[in-house]
Amino acid sequence: MEPSNRERVWQVIHSIPAGKVSTYGKVAAMAGLPNLARAVGRYLSELPEGSKIPWHRVINSQGKISFAVGTERFLTQKEKLQGEDINFSNNRVDLKTYLWQGE
DNA sequence: CATTTGACTTGTG
DNA sequence: CCACAAGCCAAAT
């Protein structure tokens, strides 16, 4: 059985090292799905709660979390990122420093 | 099969 | 920085 796109995406996300982040488009591209940035977000939205996928290391191309500030998901992601030595500036991550561009 | 919706991206103004 | 539009894709209805 061939891995579905969702599984490939999960695998890519899983390869993001702690202390680094990636964007939806980047993850999609790394998974071999150049234009599936949205699909990546969809896959993450459907992640089982017990999943080991570090979805919190995936943010949008602006270096910001894709949730509205103050929402539970937003806070959860922010906390996790900060726990990985990722520094925020005004709800923004410095992609220049933390973006994972592959190996 | 057509429409809607969404954790997206990029370009314009 | 913010708003809008166009492009792209998957799953749900």
Side-chain angles (χ1 to χ4, degrees):
Chain A
M1 143 98 187
E2 312 248 327
S4 52
N5 292 345
R6 174 171 42 197
E7 293 179 80
R8 268 186 270 183
V9 169
W10 287 350
Q11 189 172 337
V12 170
I13 295 174
H14 201 280
S15 74
I16 301 174
K20 291 280 182 182
V21 299
S22 193
T23 68
Y24 294 95
K26 216 57 163 176
V27 169
M30 288 163 67
L33 316 167
N35 305 72
L36 291 181
R38 300 176 84 161
V40 171
R42 173 186 317 279
Y43 297 147
L44 297 186
S45 73
E46 294 178 4
L47 277 177
E49 308 201 359
S51 148
K52 310 142 204 343
I53 306 296
W55 57 271
H56 52 269
R57 294 191 193 135
V58 184
I59 55 185
N60 64 28
S61 62
Q62 304 168 75
K64 302 205 310 195
I65 293 175
S66 306
F67 299 111
V69 176
T71 61
E72 207 161 325
R73 274 178 171 153
F74 173 90
L75 294 175
T76 300
Q77 181 161 22
K78 185 172 179 181
E79 297 294 303
K80 283 177 177 285
L81 290 177
Q82 290 180 143
E84 307 240 327
D85 302 315
I86 294 173
N87 182 14
F88 274 76
S89 15
N90 192 13
N91 289 332
R92 240 217 254 174
V93 174
D94 183 358
L95 293 179
K96 228 168 149 20
T97 302
Y98 301 109
L99 177 61
W100 175 246
Q101 316 185 51
E103 316 189 22

